[in-house]
Amino acid sequence: MFSKDERPPRRAPIQADGVSWPFLILVVLTLFAIWRFSGSGPSSILNPNASARAVTPRGDLAADEKTTIEIFQKVAPSVVHITAVDQVTNPLVADPVEVPSGMGSGLVWSDDGYIVTNYHVISQAEGVVVTLGDGTVLKAKLVGKAPDQDLAVLKVDAPASQLVPIPIGESSNLMVGQKVFAIGNPFGFDHSLSTGTISGLGRSIRTKTRRLITDVIQTDAAINRGSSGGPLLDSAGRLIGVTTAIYSPSGVSAGLGFSVPVDMVNRVVPELIQHGKIERPGLGIRPVSDQLTHRLGLEGILIKSDEDDSLKTRSGIRPTYWDAQTNQLVVGDLIVAMDGEPLRGSLDLIDELSKRKVGDVVELTLWRDGKEINQEIELQAIP
């Protein structure tokens, strides 16, 4: 055995961060005892007699809420879901299969099956499927398209009892601040309603064809993907526009949406139903390129000469041509305005023509021999 001086040293109690284990165990046991016997255990927080709360009566709906509900219930049956489909080959059976390639909204124009939507919704589709408000799914045929106005008309074969034409309003007397309602199928969700106001009038946006749509309605009502082609309504539940575009870096509503005004829709759609296309009005002239006109230091529209020189006889406009005898360019009349609106180049001419129709008579302001003269010309259909 060890002598008194040879005994091994006594070990110090095990500690954790300066606190001995026995002390920690004692604290834990003390806290558990306090919790267990103080009435705060699980048995004390349960109540077997718990029941649902009584419902607080809300009273009547507000007047504007009633109006919104009434508009939705009235117009929703007139709004349809548009599905663009493409055909792909199934590698297992080598048969073509239709698959969805895009979606949008549309509206019932008449009870004989005509449906209006945006051109860009169906522009790349090999086929179109329309889902009516009652859930009926129908294949649709393309009747006509107006890319310059971003409008298209489809036709479905359905009984009149299933088709509820949308009430038509007007857009010429709209005012900023009016309340508006948009119904569509954003992201494929059936019949969604958004509300807002008219935040701007007389806006101009360009379509994929680079044509300008004028007098466009700007609204802060939420318009998201899938809502394009749906109706924009006034507080009477009448169609005042067809939603066509949003301005958003992220591709979703940022409070800046646009609608084709109903006055334009009501002019274009009947023409598409009658002829399958829009007769584009024109002057029957071929403009010189803007680049050449600007290189000559001019601002306006110069006209190319016809081979038979019939342009001068038909319209009274002197064309610009190359004189082979003098080897010089002979500058003709410069069109500087139409009905008083300045024309700085061919894009301005296109914009002004888009506001008119075949058969309209316009007054052109020409710059000739150092002075302005006015010349009337009737617009004709161009290919």
Side-chain angles (χ1 to χ4, degrees):
M1 300 303 294
F2 296 98
S3 65
K4 183 178 180 180
D5 295 334
E6 292 176 339
R7 290 176 182 174
R10 178 181 296 177
R11 294 182 180 179
I14 299 174
Q15 296 183 349
D17 296 331
V19 180
S20 64
W21 282 111
F23 178 76
L24 286 175
I25 293 173
L26 179 61
V27 170
V28 170
L29 292 175
T30 302
L31 291 175
F32 176 77
I34 294 173
W35 174 78
R36 180 66 182 84
F37 299 106
S38 64
S40 59
S43 60
S44 66
I45 63 175
L46 299 179
N47 184 353
N49 299 318
S51 61
R53 292 279 308 277
V55 176
T56 302
R58 77 167 311 279
D60 202 4
L61 294 171
D64 62 335
E65 290 179 304
K66 290 181 179 179
T67 299
T68 301
I69 293 170
E70 182 181 349
I71 289 173
F72 179 78
Q73 292 177 343
K74 176 184 176 182
V75 180
S78 301
V79 182
V80 302
H81 181 63
I82 306 291
T83 304
V85 296
D86 290 337
Q87 287 192 346
V88 298
T89 301
N90 187 333
L92 299 178
V93 295
D95 289 333
V97 178
E98 288 187 342
V99 295
S101 60
M103 63 182 178
S105 302
L107 54 94
V108 177
W109 184 259
S110 59
D111 61 8
D112 51 354
Y114 290 105
I115 307 293
V116 175
T117 187
N118 285 148
Y119 166 73
H120 77 260
V121 171
I122 54 90
S123 61
Q124 304 296 324
E126 296 180 8
V128 180
V129 173
V130 171
T131 305
L132 301 181
D134 62 2
T136 303
V137 179
L138 302 167
K139 286 191 175 182
K141 295 180 180 179
L142 177 64
V143 175
K145 55 188 179 182
D148 294 341
Q149 291 79 26
D150 196 22
L151 294 172
V153 176
L154 308 171
K155 181 73 162 61
V156 295
D157 185 11
S161 59
Q162 284 187 280
L163 300 169
V164 183
I166 197 165
I168 302 297
E170 53 189 333
S171 51
S172 60
N173 58 0
L174 295 175
M175 293 181 289
V176 173
Q178 276 187 243
K179 195 168 186 178
V180 292
F181 307 83
I183 301 178
N185 301 276
F187 305 106
F189 290 107
D190 181 49
H191 283 168
S192 295
L193 171 73
S194 61
T195 63
T197 59
I198 294 176
S199 48
L201 292 168
R203 301 294 193 241
S204 298
I205 60 173
R206 295 205 175 272
T207 64
K208 291 184 177 181
T209 63
R210 293 287 298 157
R211 299 282 284 198
L212 194 72
I213 307 179
T214 57
D215 295 327
V216 170
I217 303 166
Q218 179 186 328
T219 178
D220 60 359
I223 300 172
N224 289 298
R225 291 178 180 175
S227 293
S228 292
L232 187 70
L233 310 165
D234 63 11
S235 56
R238 306 179 307 162
L239 178 71
I240 59 172
V242 175
T243 57
T244 184
I246 59 172
Y247 179 81
S248 170
S250 63
V252 296
S253 178
L256 201 59
F258 300 97
S259 295
V260 180
V262 70
D263 291 349
M264 178 181 292
V265 177
N266 212 5
R267 174 175 60 84
V268 170
V269 169
E271 195 168 343
L272 290 177
I273 294 175
Q274 292 173 12
H275 309 293
K277 63 180 181 179
I278 297 296
E279 288 189 323
R280 295 169 54 190
L283 297 173
I285 59 178
R286 296 183 301 154
V288 173
S289 69
D290 291 340
Q291 291 83 355
L292 176 57
T293 303
H294 294 158
R295 282 203 298 269
L296 295 173
L298 302 173
E299 189 174 80
I301 310 292
L302 290 175
I303 306 304
K304 293 180 180 179
S305 175
D306 291 340
E307 292 182 0
D308 58 2
D309 203 27
S310 62
L311 174 64
K312 183 177 179 180
T313 304
R314 185 175 69 252
S315 65
I317 301 175
R318 296 179 181 177
T320 295
Y321 64 95
W322 183 264
D323 190 335
Q325 294 182 348
T326 61
N327 202 32
Q328 290 182 339
L329 183 69
V330 178
V331 179
D333 294 339
L334 181 71
I335 305 175
V336 295
M338 176 184 291
D339 290 335
E341 292 294 329
L343 301 178
R344 293 172 291 273
S346 58
L347 203 56
D348 288 342
L349 176 62
I350 292 173
D351 295 343
E352 288 302 316
L353 290 173
S354 68
K355 304 174 185 177
R356 296 163 173 83
K357 62 181 183 298
V358 174
D360 286 351
V361 176
V362 298
E363 184 179 70
L364 300 178
T365 302
L366 311 176
W367 183 258
R368 177 189 294 174
D369 299 331
K371 60 181 180 180
E372 286 187 353
I373 64 170
N374 294 323
Q375 175 71 45
E376 287 190 345
I377 185 171
E378 181 178 337
L379 300 181
Q380 56 185 275
I382 61 175

